[in-house]
Each structure stands twice: as structure tokens, then as C-alpha cells.
Amino acid sequence: MSFDPGQLGRSKADLAQTLRELRRQAGLTGDRLARRCNMSQSQISKFETGRRIPSPVDVERILRALGTPPELADEVTALARVANTEWQGKRSSWRQGAEKRQTELRSLESEAAELRYFLPAMITGLLATPEYMAAGLGHVPGDRARIVERKVARQAVLHDTSKTFTFLLSEQAVRWSIVPAPDMAHQIDRLVIVSRLPNVRIGVIPTGTVIPRGPMNTFTVYDERLVTVENFTGRIVFRDFRDISEHLSVFAMFEECALFGDELRQLLSRWADELRDL
């Protein structure tokens, strides 16, 4: 299926209308369909009015209950997968304000119990020093000092021991110098400190590690319910379990190639010392 950001918004309304029309064509009330699907009537109503997006699994249950022909069912299931995908363009985020984005991230982090971050290019805000954060915001409009303040405040979530965090970084991400050498050394020192938190695992994949699959994008997995994937122009949010499962599989593969614990800390300390000697 080709990717069209505009299609993502339309697909939600299209899916709701399609489900409603299929139920009517089958001659079923919302209540009767709900009983066949082992769902509540209010749930069916929310799906058909677009107030709630059904997962592809929900849609498959509804289509089976309606006796939808396989070819049509495949089309509607594909529509459901698109409806469970959201495009968030960076220009739109900038218009809303970078501070609002920090509030959104804080909400995602507060709701999740297990968070996994794959970082092939740069260090993420939860692990960053204020100097590193500020340098990375050079292209972002708005009050940079205020955004850094929000980013630093978000880091408190790392001390919530009801949550677990796994950060996987490439060597490039750790050593990509967006600040002068002394500040980069301080940034790497911070990684060492955070890696000692009891609920945080930081892994680094050294350059030269043989891996059969390339590190395509930065992505974050929140529990097993949502994935965000970033590129230069925005981010895609996936809620389809198949997309989530694929990213979890990719994460596990890279995780096996990473260094953790004391072995990692020794490597990081050596890199930081090299920067201090420049």
C-alpha cells in the first residue's frame, strides 16, 4: 500500500462509514451486531461514528459477524490498518508549538510501563544534557530555553521505578558531535550515570558490528500498543499490532548486538576521555 499522509486522515471517516453501511446492508441493528461480536453496543456505535478507531482485529471480528465476502473483507481490513496509522508532520507540530510536543511526549511516557527506544542517529531528550538539547533545537522555532526546561523536566520519569526503559544507540548516535568536545564528553558521562539506574538499560552497538539489517529509522515502542517512527519531516504513529510486532522484533534483533552494563560503561568512559584529551 502506498503512503499518502492525506489518506490517513480520510481513512478514519471512510472506515466508520463503511462499517455502518455494511451493517445496514446485512439488516442488523447495532445491538444485534454487538452481541454477535461479543462487544458492547456503545462500542459498535463509537466505531460507526468515528469517535473511536477500531483495531484491525476488531474489524475482522465485525466482518466475520456480518458474513462479509473475503475480497471485500480484505479491502476493509486494509482500510482499518491505514486508519490505525497517524502522520504528524513537523511543520504542523511547529505551528502548534514545540512546548506542546513536550507535553504530548510526557503524556505518552506517563501512560506506558515499558518503553523501548531505538536511536541510530542521535541521543534522545531523556538522556541528553541541557547543552546537547539546546544544540539540537537550532532548527526549531520558539523559545529554546523554555523547550529545554520542559525536556529536562521530562527526565524525572526515568526515576519512576514502576517503569522500565531500554535505550539502544549506535556508536554514531553516541559520538555524533553536535556540541564541542568538552560538552560531548559531559554528555557521554551522563549516559554512564543514567545506565546505573535500576530500571534503565542503555545498550550501544559499536561500529563494525556485523548486522544483516540496516538501522532505518529512529523509533520508540510504548508497551505493546503504540510505535512512533521519526524521519526528517515528521513522525508516523502505528497502532496496528502487526506494525508493533515488527518493530519489537527489529528491536530484539538489535538488542542482541549491543553492549550493556560494565562493558558498555568502560567503552563510554574511554570515548569521553578521548574527547577530554582533544
Side-chain angles (χ1 to χ4, degrees):
M1 180 180 297
S2 62
F3 173 67
D4 174 7
Q7 182 186 16
L8 300 183
R10 294 194 303 271
S11 65
K12 298 175 184 179
D14 290 345
L15 179 61
Q17 181 180 355
T18 299
L19 292 175
R20 186 168 61 250
E21 289 178 353
L22 287 174
R23 175 183 59 76
R24 289 173 177 170
Q25 289 171 11
L28 293 177
T29 63
D31 185 57
R32 285 184 63 194
L33 175 60
R35 289 199 298 272
R36 287 191 182 187
C37 299
N38 196 26
M39 296 179 180
S40 67
Q41 191 277 330
S42 64
Q43 194 173 4
I44 295 294
S45 176
K46 288 176 182 177
F47 291 161
E48 292 186 358
T49 56
R51 287 178 292 165
R52 180 175 171 184
I53 304 171
S55 71
V57 173
D58 291 330
V59 170
E60 288 171 3
R61 288 167 63 189
I62 291 171
L63 296 176
R64 282 198 301 270
L66 293 172
T68 306
E71 193 170 306
L72 178 56
D74 288 344
E75 292 181 11
V76 180
T77 302
L79 182 62
R81 191 172 187 191
V82 175
N84 276 271
T85 304
E86 178 183 352
W87 169 253
Q88 299 175 347
K90 282 195 175 178
R91 289 184 178 83
S92 175
S93 293
W94 290 345
R95 286 195 296 271
Q96 294 174 4
E99 291 183 43
K100 182 179 179 182
R101 175 60 184 162
Q102 295 306 305
T103 301
E104 292 171 350
L105 287 171
R106 190 167 190 166
S107 176
L108 284 172
E109 291 155 1
S110 68
E111 293 171 359
E114 185 171 5
L115 302 94
R116 302 171 179 89
Y117 300 79
F118 180 61
L119 308 163
M122 288 182 65
I123 295 168
T124 190
L126 289 181
L127 301 177
T129 63
E131 294 80 12
Y132 190 98
M133 293 176 189
L137 292 170
H139 64 293
V140 178
D143 185 340
R144 213 174 300 175
R146 180 63 174 162
I147 298 169
V148 169
E149 183 182 330
R150 291 283 186 92
K151 283 177 170 281
V152 171
R154 275 179 47 221
Q155 293 178 344
V157 74
L158 294 174
H159 299 277
D160 182 347
T161 54
S162 70
K163 303 177 183 296
T164 60
F165 299 84
T166 303
F167 299 90
L168 292 183
L169 301 93
S170 67
E171 179 177 336
Q172 172 183 303
V174 176
R175 305 185 75 175
W176 189 270
S177 296
I178 68 169
V179 290
D183 290 332
M184 279 303 301
H186 180 45
Q187 171 60 73
I188 294 175
D189 288 339
R190 172 166 167 77
L191 296 180
V192 173
I193 293 169
V194 176
S195 74
R196 297 185 185 278
L197 294 175
N199 58 323
V200 175
R201 296 176 70 237
I202 295 180
V204 172
I205 303 170
T207 298
T209 304
V210 177
I211 306 175
R213 191 163 185 176
M216 297 291 290
N217 296 95
T218 293
F219 66 83
T220 305
V221 186
Y222 298 91
D223 295 322
E224 296 183 2
R225 61 183 177 82
L226 185 147
V227 176
T228 62
V229 179
E230 297 188 32
N231 59 31
F232 275 113
T233 57
R235 64 189 62 84
I236 306 172
V237 181
F238 294 106
R239 295 181 177 85
D240 186 334
F241 77 94
R242 288 167 292 193
D243 294 310
I244 296 169
S245 296
E246 176 66 16
H247 282 85
L248 286 172
S249 176
V250 169
F251 191 90
M253 181 195 68
F254 285 121
E255 190 174 8
E256 290 182 359
C257 302
L259 300 180
F260 290 90
D262 289 339
E263 189 176 12
L264 166 70
R265 287 187 278 271
Q266 290 171 9
L267 181 61
L268 291 176
S269 296
R270 188 174 81 236
W271 291 344
D273 289 341
E274 290 172 0
L275 287 165
R276 277 187 276 267
D277 289 340
L278 292 177

